[in-house]
Amino acid sequence: MSGDYLDFDIALTREGQGYAAHVLDSPAGQASTPFTLPFGAADLARFMVAVGPPRVTSRRLVPAESRVVDVREYGRRLADALLAGDVGRAFRDSLATATAQGRDLRLRLRLDAVPDLDPVPWEYLYDKGLERFVALSQETPVVRLLDALDRPPVVTVEPPLRVLVMVSSPSDLEPLAVDREKQLLRATTGDLVAAGLLEVVVVEDATLISLQRALLDDYHVFHFIGHGGFDDQAQEGVLALEHPDGTAHLVSGARLGTLLHDARTLQLAVLNACEGARTSGRDAFSGVGQALVRQGLPAVVAMQTEISDRAALVFSHEFYWFLTRGLGIDAAMCEVRKAMAVSDEAAEWGTAVLLRSGSEQPFAFVGPSTATGQPGAATALRDDPRASDARLASLYTAAQGAIAAADTTTALPMLEQIAAERPDYADVTELIARVRPDAGPPGPDAAAPADRSQRAGVVNPRPQTFPQQHDAQPPQPRQPDRPEPPQPEPHPEPEQPRPDPERRQRDRGRGIGRWVRLAVLGVVVVLGLVAWRTLPSLLQKADPLVAAACGSSSVDPGASDVTIGCAPVAPVVDGSFDDWRSVTTHVVDAPVPDFARVPVNGLSATWQALWDKDALFLHAVVTDPTHTGVAAGQPSQWWRGDAVSFEVGPDPRKLSAAAPLRKGKDFHVILALLDDGDRGAAAAVNVVGTSPKGQVVFATGSRRPGIAVVARPTDTGYELEARVPWSEIGRSVPPARGEVLGFNVNLSDARGSGTDWALRTMLSSNPSRSGANQNHPGTWQTLALGDSG
């Protein structure tokens, strides 16, 4: 583990309709090979959820080992695709060269030319030849490499490492528990502060002017706690700081970099914000972290997903511990990942992204006693067995303080971390049972329930400055192998309680407090369950995944009647319909003159749609007083029964109103209720043909089992959803983002039953729809395939 690296630089570029991987520099020379992303957007989104923090208690029902295996399989597929062909041979030869020289090999990814691949979590690459995750070893760290306008010289650090912390909580945004964040940071780094290795200073106001003034002093690290987001209009990443009046001030990475650039000793930024590592999918420097590196900051660590309290405890302590030990930033990140991997069976160790420019290390540490040949403070701390006790004591004391304040959400992750490292530590098991009555035996797989309050979309309460902890002392051991932690204020209970009225009042108060805490925990769990239930619909707005699901935007749609969004998480056609909660709704309410023979009171429908490279997805909610199923054997006529149908074809905007249907390009898709007693549903497609009079019409049709459709009756009608593969409607090549289609959505209402059914009336989303102009796509509505859902 020399930390003396040879570099293996890979650049991904776009080649035609796909990608290519190019080795730009390596001990084995240059190489190239085609690259294909080995999974779809839905797989990517499910993976990001799986490796993120547990959101509800039921998540713990998934065995830890199965989660790890899933992560390994994902990483293997990714590595097989990236390190294939000549690139793979160059990688193996470079590893052999580095090993022969007693050096390590740093894998540096350049994604400048393909920002749509930036959201891919490359940190989980798993090499089957090495039989390990690449990033989990100092021998092969994974870094995302960016060009910088300038590179400051290496800064020499004589401990303490000075960290400037900004905690931001705009008053007009939903609050997050920043007080808890500060307590967790203080507790987990308390031993480093006490040892003189670390100094933590908090900016009193999260404003740009306060930051500017604070940076007049020398700091080595800027640590941001708050909310990161993305300005869709400006197409750049932002951090939510505060205006002087406390309201939100969205600050771009470029603007923040203007301040950080002139801080001569500042070499590193740590962004504890949910979207700090994210880009627009178009500009590789639009993310906050990318912008800071571009402006000259040598290194940025940014989170690509939210991170749980347990993981944050380990990350913050181990990251600063290894930095103050003198490890290079690349090696320190590897050690942090390993510490997170062995601390908990979850896979949050890949959450942090390391963004760098150049090869030089940002810091050169000098021990305080190097002149006398004595070990430095970092080495002494490493070799002192009391160091671990000091850290656990810091966590224990902070947890007890949180319990005394009835803040169980802060206490729980600290207690669980102690239990994971030393299950017999003091009374930690009993304390966990107090703050989480449903807890099983604590251990490495104990997962924190709903603990980070869903960083995405919220920010934190107003900050306070917390004091340095130079006077913190480790506990004195009660037994040689079991340290006694510092004790809180005692609450002795007499062995024989006296009939004391004041004591009874106190007991009653404690009982009420216990029930209040249980009620609060119950609310948290319920909210977590609601969040988990709606997660697929929320992820439809996860822009970093759009590029992977629907490709790069290459077409300007211009004006269109309706725009539908890309589906980073493809809706599951299962009849639950939860996937559609946050998707824009459209109406079907225009009577079709040729078929609106009998007005039906209350008949109406709404529809929603999404798309990805594989399919078009449709969801409809129908209000219909009477259900009339269609005969399964007449699929070309299903439009006459209770059905939702749509016409679809290429962009019709240049067609005249009299232009005929385009054979092999225009289709009429019918999603019908079947008269099978179970109120099932099926899909049929009518294709272009010629009528007996020689007219070009939708003449023939057939049932299409390749189109998945599910319907469910409701009190007022029925609801259905469908997945229509592009291949079923004449597309051999997936559409591009921005492409426009011709599209109408129609609602048919039938009378009769069995074989005696016929169309009673029809409504359409298109006010111009008629029986005649169904056969003229120049009169159809237009549908643009957009970016967000």
Side-chain angles (χ1 to χ4, degrees):
M1 297 192 303
S2 67
D4 182 14
Y5 291 112
L6 300 177
D7 287 323
F8 187 84
D9 293 351
I10 300 182
L12 287 167
T13 62
R14 187 170 297 283
E15 301 289 338
Q17 296 296 318
Y19 305 97
H22 305 279
V23 179
L24 302 181
D25 186 28
S26 80
Q30 297 182 338
S32 297
T33 194
F35 171 78
T36 301
L37 195 65
F39 31 73
D43 291 333
L44 179 61
R46 282 192 288 268
F47 176 79
M48 296 303 288
V49 171
V51 300
R55 288 165 172 80
V56 290
T57 304
S58 61
R59 172 72 182 276
R60 273 186 263 138
L61 297 177
V62 180
E65 179 58 27
S66 68
R67 296 201 302 268
V68 173
V69 169
D70 290 342
V71 174
R72 185 181 301 127
E73 173 61 18
Y74 170 94
R76 183 197 61 76
R77 291 166 61 192
L78 187 59
D80 285 351
L82 180 66
L83 304 177
D86 292 340
V87 171
R89 283 187 287 274
F91 180 68
R92 291 187 291 274
D93 292 345
S94 296
L95 273 175
T97 300
T99 302
Q101 296 180 14
R103 303 170 74 181
D104 299 325
L105 189 68
R106 177 169 47 196
L107 195 159
R108 304 195 301 182
L109 283 169
R110 300 199 63 124
L111 305 172
D112 313 47
V114 285
D116 51 313
L117 294 182
D118 190 77
V120 176
W122 302 97
E123 288 66 28
Y124 290 96
L125 286 166
Y126 183 89
D127 188 276
K128 60 186 179 184
L130 298 174
E131 295 186 354
R132 61 173 172 82
F133 291 98
V134 177
L136 281 182
S137 172
Q138 281 194 45
E139 296 176 2
T140 51
V142 175
V143 178
R144 302 195 186 196
L145 184 64
L146 301 167
D147 286 328
L149 299 179
D150 57 38
R151 296 175 188 167
V154 176
V155 170
T156 299
V157 178
E158 183 171 343
L161 182 73
R162 302 197 74 218
V163 180
L164 181 66
V165 178
M166 172 175 276
V167 283
S168 178
S169 174
S171 58
D172 55 343
L173 296 179
E174 187 177 352
L176 189 70
V178 163
D179 285 336
R180 182 172 83 247
E181 302 271 0
K182 290 188 304 181
Q183 290 183 55
L184 294 173
L185 181 61
R186 177 175 59 185
T188 198
T189 59
D191 59 325
L192 302 177
V193 172
L197 294 171
L198 192 70
E199 182 179 354
V200 179
V201 178
V202 177
V203 182
E204 294 188 6
D205 300 304
T207 62
L208 278 178
I209 190 64
S210 294
L211 178 60
Q212 181 182 3
R213 291 169 178 171
L215 289 172
L216 293 176
D217 294 328
D218 288 339
Y219 293 98
H220 305 114
V221 182
F222 173 65
H223 190 127
F224 177 82
I225 298 175
H227 177 53
F230 194 80
D231 185 333
D232 287 311
Q233 183 173 6
Q235 285 293 289
E236 61 184 356
V238 295
L239 296 182
L241 273 62
E242 301 173 9
H243 286 297
D245 64 357
T247 58
H249 184 190
L250 302 183
V251 178
S252 68
R255 192 172 184 187
L256 181 63
T258 301
L259 294 183
L260 302 186
H261 176 272
D262 285 350
R264 302 294 183 183
T265 60
L266 193 72
Q267 297 286 86
L268 170 66
V270 177
L271 304 180
N272 244 358
C274 65
E275 296 180 347
R278 159 193 160 171
T279 68
S280 67
R282 298 174 186 173
D283 176 4
F285 296 104
S286 59
V288 176
Q290 288 85 345
L292 294 180
V293 173
R294 179 72 181 271
Q295 291 202 22
L297 199 65
V300 172
V301 175
M303 305 301 169
Q304 59 184 324
T305 63
E306 62 178 306
I307 184 172
S308 69
D309 286 336
R310 281 280 305 282
L313 283 171
V314 179
F315 173 85
S316 295
H317 181 271
E318 298 305 305
F319 183 64
Y320 289 122
W321 193 94
F322 283 109
L323 281 183
T324 55
R325 180 186 172 187
L327 262 67
I329 185 77
D330 317 273
M333 279 298 299
C334 290
E335 292 301 319
V336 170
R337 296 189 196 283
K338 287 194 289 187
M340 296 174 71
V342 300
S343 174
D344 191 354
E345 291 296 335
E348 294 181 77
W349 54 264
T351 295
V353 172
L354 176 58
L355 305 167
R356 290 213 50 199
S357 64
S359 299
E360 300 80 8
Q361 293 301 325
F363 301 117
F365 281 84
V366 177
S369 304
T370 53
T372 62
Q374 298 300 317
T379 303
L381 182 65
R382 176 197 63 192
D383 296 336
D384 188 347
R386 293 174 298 177
S388 175
D389 293 343
R391 175 170 177 263
L392 296 182
S394 177
L395 291 173
Y396 184 89
T397 302
Q400 287 196 315
I403 291 173
D407 185 3
T408 56
T409 57
T410 298
L412 182 60
M414 292 188 282
L415 294 172
E416 289 186 326
Q417 186 57 37
I418 296 171
E421 296 184 29
R422 193 169 313 168
D424 63 345
Y425 190 92
D427 58 346
V428 67
T429 303
E430 291 81 0
L431 291 177
I432 289 177
R434 283 176 55 188
V435 301
R436 184 161 59 88
D438 64 333
D445 194 36
D451 57 3
R452 214 150 179 84
S453 302
Q454 303 289 331
R455 260 208 180 106
V458 292
V459 292
N460 309 328
R462 301 199 63 82
Q464 304 173 8
T465 301
F466 61 76
Q468 305 305 302
Q469 300 183 11
H470 296 284
D471 296 331
Q473 297 294 329
Q476 297 301 315
R478 180 171 51 192
Q479 298 175 359
D481 60 344
R482 185 172 178 176
E484 173 74 32
Q487 296 299 313
E489 291 296 321
H491 298 285
E493 300 286 348
E495 294 183 5
Q496 299 294 327
R498 299 174 183 178
D500 183 351
E502 294 183 1
R503 170 64 183 277
R504 286 197 299 270
Q505 182 69 22
R506 287 197 304 272
D507 289 344
R508 184 163 51 207
R510 288 174 182 166
I512 294 173
R514 186 179 303 114
W515 282 109
V516 169
R517 289 193 295 272
L518 287 173
V520 170
L521 285 173
V523 171
V524 170
V525 170
V526 170
L527 291 176
L529 288 168
V530 171
W532 181 253
R533 188 172 181 230
T534 61
L535 183 64
S537 64
L538 296 175
L539 282 176
Q540 301 301 353
K541 300 183 181 298
D543 291 342
L545 303 179
V546 169
C550 300
S552 297
S553 181
S554 59
V555 179
D556 180 5
S560 61
D561 295 308
V562 176
T563 298
I564 65 172
C566 170
V569 181
V572 180
V573 180
D574 57 3
S576 71
F577 310 119
D578 287 335
D579 301 333
W580 298 93
R581 289 178 178 273
S582 66
V583 180
T584 302
T585 299
H586 310 279
V587 298
V588 181
D589 60 359
V592 178
D594 298 343
F595 301 115
R597 304 183 181 94
V598 181
V600 178
N601 293 330
L603 181 68
S604 66
T606 61
W607 65 278
Q608 300 164 291
L610 291 167
W611 73 285
D612 64 16
K613 292 178 181 178
D614 301 319
L616 176 69
F617 304 90
L618 188 75
H619 171 238
V621 179
V622 177
T623 300
D624 184 356
T626 305
H627 295 185
T628 304
V630 301
Q634 303 177 46
S636 65
Q637 299 300 306
W638 282 354
W639 61 274
R640 298 179 184 273
D642 278 4
V644 174
S645 67
F646 61 91
E647 288 88 22
V648 60
D651 188 350
R653 290 176 296 182
K654 295 183 179 180
L655 299 178
S656 70
L661 293 169
R662 297 156 291 184
K663 192 169 185 178
K665 296 182 178 181
D666 293 323
F667 298 86
H668 181 216
V669 180
I670 310 169
L671 310 173
L673 300 184
L674 296 176
D675 186 19
D676 59 3
D678 295 326
R679 198 123 16 237
V685 176
N686 287 333
V687 299
V688 177
T690 304
S691 72
K693 297 181 179 181
Q695 298 172 318
V696 179
V697 296
F698 287 120
T700 60
S702 61
R703 186 166 178 170
R704 298 291 182 89
I707 298 177
V709 56
V710 172
R712 183 179 68 186
T714 66
D715 292 338
T716 58
Y718 60 93
E719 189 170 359
L720 62 78
E721 62 183 346
R723 178 185 185 275
V724 184
W726 293 113
S727 59
E728 294 282 356
I729 50 177
R731 299 295 298 256
S732 58
V733 177
R737 288 164 64 184
E739 185 170 332
V740 173
L741 306 177
F743 200 77
N744 295 326
V745 180
N746 315 299
L747 172 63
S748 299
D749 179 65
R751 59 175 173 79
S753 61
T755 58
D756 182 22
W757 50 275
L759 180 67
R760 175 163 50 177
T761 194
M762 179 183 287
L763 305 178
S764 178
S765 63
N766 183 357
S768 300
R769 171 75 157 84
S770 67
N773 67 23
Q774 179 195 28
N775 300 319
H776 300 288
T779 66
W780 297 353
Q781 290 182 301
T782 52
L783 177 77
L785 304 180
D787 290 346
S788 64

